Amino acid sequence: MVAIDLKDPEARLSQTLRTTAQAMGEGQISLRELLGLVGEQGMLLFCLLLTVPFLLPVSIPGISSVFGLLILFIGIGITLNRVPWLPARLMARSFATEQLKSTLHKGADLLARLDKFVRPRLLMLTASSTINRANGLMIMLAALLLMMPFGAIPLTNTLPAWAILLLAIGMLQRDGLFVALGYALVAATLVWFAVLAVGVLMAGQGLSGLLG
């Protein structure tokens, strides 16, 4: 595997995913090796890559807690404005390259539909360190929601993953509209989880009434 230059803010993100997939070798690839492809300065891009499996009907066992934790640490790094600490044990986790290649190519097809809409705008949402710290906090919150053990329930993984994706795209491409949409999806995720909590509470009360 050879490290590739993915730092050009003008690069199409769909092509970036395809280039990353093409740069992988065969067999297994660890998350540290995947990060090596994008470079230590490509944390937002790495964050974006980690969201892709949650947006597609694919099955890669064991990704929810691992990928969610890494996104959380990246969000902490963005909030603190420093290179994040990534646990060695998590970064050593390996996955089949064929699964990841297929997922990244499907993700590239998905991002190709978004690429045409991405452009620098609403720069006040990406231009300062203060707002980027706030954006990092939103990524942290979305990562925590992504890690909640409700993956079998519709939208519980998809909504926070889309929020993280939009925030990462917006920050990478200086598109404040995408950042704002990311904030909106974090809010929608919180509402959805509140609805689920109320539903569980009401179901529990109903069951208690029947048993009582």
Side-chain angles (χ1 to χ4, degrees):
M1 291 177 290
V2 180
I4 49 180
D5 182 9
L6 300 174
K7 302 174 189 175
D8 180 4
E10 300 299 322
R12 292 289 184 181
L13 293 173
S14 56
Q15 185 56 45
T16 294
L17 291 190
R18 291 192 177 95
T19 303
T20 302
Q22 291 164 3
M24 291 181 185
E26 301 297 327
Q28 297 276 318
I29 182 172
S30 71
L31 290 172
R32 185 167 300 283
E33 291 170 328
L34 183 60
L35 176 59
L37 292 179
V38 303
E40 291 289 339
Q41 300 304 311
M43 287 296 175
L44 273 171
L45 179 56
F46 188 47
C47 185
L48 186 152
L49 295 178
L50 295 174
T51 67
V52 170
F54 300 102
L55 309 176
L56 303 166
V58 298
S59 177
I60 302 179
I63 65 169
S64 181
S65 58
V66 174
F67 285 19
L69 266 177
L70 290 176
I71 293 169
L72 176 63
F73 284 119
I74 292 171
I76 292 172
I78 294 169
T79 302
L80 299 178
N81 195 27
R82 62 183 63 180
V83 176
W85 171 75
L86 301 177
R89 185 174 179 179
L90 291 182
M91 295 300 289
R93 288 287 299 270
S94 294
F95 299 90
T97 56
E98 287 307 310
Q99 282 184 307
L100 283 179
K101 284 181 182 180
S102 174
T103 299
L104 291 182
H105 281 299
K106 291 176 181 177
D109 293 338
L110 178 65
L111 286 185
R113 302 172 190 171
L114 297 178
D115 276 339
K116 66 184 73 173
F117 302 108
V118 180
R119 62 180 183 274
R121 56 189 158 183
L122 298 178
L123 298 181
M124 75 285 289
L125 295 180
T126 61
S128 72
S129 59
T130 300
I131 190 62
N132 281 330
R133 288 174 188 268
N135 296 341
L137 285 171
M138 283 297 103
I139 289 175
M140 289 170 57
L141 177 55
L144 288 171
L145 295 171
L146 184 64
M147 292 164 57
M148 298 293 285
F150 305 130
I153 301 174
L155 302 180
T156 53
N157 278 344
T158 306
L159 280 176
W162 268 107
I164 295 164
L165 180 77
L166 293 174
L167 287 163
I169 290 175
M171 295 175 72
L172 280 167
Q173 302 289 317
R174 308 293 186 266
D175 191 333
L177 178 59
F178 272 62
V179 170
L181 290 173
Y183 274 68
L185 272 183
V186 171
T189 304
L190 290 171
V191 170
W192 177 234
F193 274 73
V195 169
L196 292 177
V198 170
V200 169
L201 181 61
M202 293 178 65
Q205 290 175 339
L207 182 60
S208 298
L210 288 174
L211 294 177

